[in-house]
Amino acid sequence: MKKLLLILLSVFALLAFAACSSEPVNDNGANQDEQNVQEEAITPSVMTLKGPTGVAMAKMIDDNETTGKYDFSLVGSPDEIVSAISSGETDIAAMPTNLAAKLYAKNEGDLQMISVIADGSLYILENGETINSLADLQGKTIYATGQGSNPQYILEYLLNSAGLTPGEDVEIIYRSEHAELATLMASGDVDIAMLPEPNVSVVLTKNDQIRVALDLNEEWNNATGGNLTMSCVAATKTFIAEHPQAVADFLADLQQSITFALDDVSSTAALCAKHGIIENEAVGEISIPKMGLTYVDGADIEPAVSGYLTMLFEADPSSVGGAMPAEDFYYLK
């Protein structure tokens, strides 16, 4: 009897050992269950900008007050994102698409674009009724912001596509801040201006004589057949490799947040005012539908973005980091 009992105990011990040995093991020696627990416990740090990129995450930011799923930071300048990504202070960040390309080059490829979230929101405003096409800008003076960056390259590309030479057929005067130019336009000191949302809506709420003369997003589509894919979300490759499930969860939440913003503008405007993403709810209600919010991920990212980045590269190689990013810049999921 004792002999039989010893045999049975030995068999059970061997089975238990085999079961433990068969558990999946990751590179660090932890079994798969332990890895999943580690991923569930991670709290990704996420940085976004005021304006359209923040609007895309408004529902996520509000929900996070209850869930605590993310560590959100809302900032006012892309320079803060450059510093945070480069120092490892943040894992995921929303930013202009060309800034993502520059950071990819600066950080030796340790960055991937994981989603496109806005197609652009640049408009020509006029205090008058004379401009109904790009050709109508001949002989005019346009005030604009963004000298040496995307808005300048976009405006000059579109003027050239319409047969107009910037600086000759059209005078362009640059101001350093969107808010400064919006104030000048609203006060009547400027007759024609190129501005992005939500600054456009700020002007329209303050001066009912101002109108949107041209949607430069539509003009870009007419000239190139593509969209002004100006805003994206990127993450470090290191974070993606270590926490793929956290990235997948983030993208699912982001898509839901953008869908909510498009479907329920009023509620989203209230959330944006609550969290300081847009200065007030009234401006949010007007501007959100004109921000070009979208959601693109996976294999669709490169076709959506590459044409826009190519235009920037041809205008000024430094605008995308000196060279077009390689294919591994685009996260395929």
Side-chain angles (χ1 to χ4, degrees):
M1 185 67 179
K2 288 183 178 179
K3 189 173 183 180
L4 177 61
L5 182 59
L6 286 171
I7 292 171
L8 290 173
L9 287 173
S10 298
V11 170
F12 287 138
L14 287 169
L15 290 172
F17 176 78
C20 290
S21 300
S22 65
E23 290 185 19
V25 175
N26 62 22
D27 291 338
N28 296 320
N31 65 48
Q32 191 65 49
D33 289 338
E34 289 172 347
Q35 185 183 18
N36 290 339
V37 169
Q38 289 169 1
E39 284 219 37
E40 289 170 6
I42 195 74
T43 303
S45 55
V46 181
M47 187 170 281
T48 189
L49 291 159
K50 295 178 181 179
T53 64
V55 173
M57 297 186 193
K59 185 69 164 58
M60 293 175 70
I61 292 171
D62 195 65
D63 288 346
N64 201 61
E65 289 189 338
T66 302
T67 66
K69 192 172 179 180
Y70 303 101
D71 179 11
F72 275 109
S73 297
L74 183 67
V75 298
S77 166
D79 291 340
E80 296 177 74
I81 289 174
V82 171
S83 175
I85 285 286
S86 298
S87 66
E89 179 187 338
T90 194
D91 304 310
I92 301 170
M95 65 188 78
T97 49
N98 77 301
L99 179 57
K102 291 173 76 171
L103 283 171
Y104 170 85
K106 179 180 179 180
N107 296 333
E108 298 180 345
D110 186 23
L111 194 78
Q112 284 187 300
M113 188 181 294
I114 62 175
S115 176
V116 174
I117 58 174
D119 279 339
S121 56
L122 284 173
Y123 298 87
I124 298 290
L125 300 182
E126 183 191 18
N127 187 353
E129 299 286 340
T130 65
I131 300 168
N132 296 290
S133 69
L134 287 168
D136 293 335
L137 291 169
Q138 183 162 11
K140 302 286 200 280
T141 297
I142 302 173
Y143 285 78
T145 55
Q147 186 173 22
S149 60
N150 294 12
Q152 176 185 345
Y153 305 135
I154 291 165
L155 178 58
E156 291 181 352
Y157 183 96
L158 289 174
L159 291 174
N160 283 315
S161 73
L164 302 176
T165 301
E168 295 181 12
D169 299 313
V170 182
E171 182 181 5
I172 305 171
I173 299 174
Y174 286 96
R175 291 288 183 260
S176 59
E177 300 290 336
H178 299 325
E180 176 196 5
L181 182 52
T183 299
L184 291 171
M185 189 79 200
S187 66
D189 293 327
V190 166
D191 289 328
I192 304 170
M194 179 182 73
L195 277 167
E197 286 289 5
N199 302 89
V200 168
S201 294
V202 169
V203 172
L204 297 178
T205 59
K206 292 181 178 179
N207 187 336
D208 61 9
Q209 300 301 306
I210 308 296
R211 71 183 184 96
V212 174
L214 297 174
D215 178 346
L216 295 190
N217 313 288
E218 288 184 5
E219 298 296 337
W220 181 269
N221 185 269
N222 292 338
T224 69
N227 295 322
L228 272 176
T229 46
M230 294 181 68
S231 299
C232 71
V233 178
T236 62
K237 284 183 183 176
T238 303
F239 181 79
I240 293 170
E242 292 178 354
H243 305 288
Q245 188 57 51
V247 173
D249 291 344
F250 171 84
L251 288 174
D253 291 342
L254 176 63
Q255 185 172 19
Q256 290 177 6
S257 185
I258 292 172
T259 299
F260 180 84
L262 294 171
D263 291 346
D264 194 339
V265 172
S266 180
S267 295
T268 302
L271 294 180
C272 289
K274 173 184 174 181
H275 295 288
I277 298 168
I278 296 176
E279 66 178 58
N280 62 63
E281 193 170 336
V283 168
E285 292 234 22
I286 300 171
S287 64
I288 289 171
K290 297 184 290 185
M291 287 183 176
L293 293 177
T294 187
Y295 179 83
V296 179
D297 67 14
D300 294 327
I301 298 177
E302 183 175 7
V305 174
S306 59
Y308 175 62
L309 293 182
T310 297
M311 180 281 297
L312 293 176
F313 174 76
E314 291 173 350
D316 180 359
S318 67
S319 67
V320 295
M324 287 291 289
E327 288 186 2
D328 67 344
F329 174 56
Y330 304 100
Y331 179 59
L332 297 177
K333 296 201 299 181

